[in-house]
C-alpha cells in the first residue's frame, strides 16, 4: 500500500490519467464514466468507492478536514501519530477499493 500511496503522490499510479501522462494509455476516463480518473477523483469522488470512502472520511474527519493534500501528504498541524493513522486508513481504502 505504501508503494501505491507514493505512486498516487507522484502521478505515476495505474489510474488512467496517470497512465495517459506516462504514454501507456490514450483514455484518461474512469470506468464510472467520469472523464478523468486521477487521484482526486479516485480518493474523493468516484461513485465506485462510496462505502470505502465513507469509512476513510469518518475517521479522517475526526482529526481534520478531509482534503486531497491531507490524504496524500499529511497535515503538519497534526501529530505524527495522527498522520500515521490517517495514512493507515488511506492504505485501507486503497486495499478495500480493489482498484490496484
Amino acid at each position: 500500500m505504501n508503494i501505491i500511496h507514493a505512486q498516487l503522490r507522484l502521478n505515476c499510479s495505474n489510474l488512467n490519467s496517470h497512465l495517459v501522462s506516462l504514454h501507456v494509455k490514450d483514455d484518461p476516463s474512469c470506468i464510472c464514466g467520469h472523464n478523468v480518473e486521477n487521484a482526486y477523483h479516485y480518493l474523493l469522488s468516484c461513485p465506485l468507492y462510496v462505502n470505502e470512502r465513507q469509512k476513510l472520511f469518518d475517521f479522517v474527519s475526526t482529526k481534520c478536514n478531509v482534503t486531497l493534500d491531507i490524504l496524500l501528504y499529511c497535515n503538519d498541524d497534526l501529530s505524527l501519530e495522527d498522520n500515521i493513522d490517517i495514512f493507515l486508513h488511506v492504505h485501507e481504502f486503497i486495499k478495500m477499493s480493489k482498484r490496484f
Side-chain angles (χ1 to χ4, degrees), residues 4-87:
I4 296 168
H5 198 166
Q7 289 171 336
L8 290 168
R9 288 175 167 185
L10 298 170
N11 296 322
C12 65
S13 74
N14 285 337
L15 294 176
N16 289 332
S17 70
H18 296 169
L19 293 174
V20 167
S21 68
L22 295 169
H23 307 288
V24 175
K25 287 187 95 172
D26 293 325
D27 183 7
S29 64
C30 181
I31 62 171
C32 78
H34 191 267
N35 60 336
V36 178
E37 183 191 38
N38 56 18
Y40 180 90
H41 175 72
Y42 169 66
L43 290 168
L44 298 175
S45 67
C46 184
L48 299 175
Y49 313 113
V50 171
N51 295 331
E52 296 84 357
R53 182 176 304 107
Q54 189 60 54
K55 291 176 188 174
L56 173 63
F57 282 24
D58 285 349
F59 176 78
V60 175
S61 66
T62 66
K63 307 292 181 186
C64 59
N65 291 327
V66 180
T67 67
L68 182 62
D69 280 348
I70 287 167
L71 298 179
L72 292 180
Y73 303 105
C74 78
N75 183 334
D76 291 337
D77 296 331
L78 296 175
S79 69
L80 175 62
E81 202 172 82
D82 284 342
N83 279 305
I84 290 171
D85 285 343
I86 289 171
F87 274 24

Side-chain angles (χ1 to χ4, degrees), residues 1-8 42 87-88 90-96 100:
M1 297 305 121
N2 284 327
I3 291 169
I4 296 168
H5 198 166
Q7 289 171 336
L8 290 168
Y42 169 66
F87 274 24
L88 292 174
V90 171
H91 294 176
E92 185 65 17
F93 171 85
I94 293 168
K95 180 180 167 185
M96 297 305 294
F100 299 95

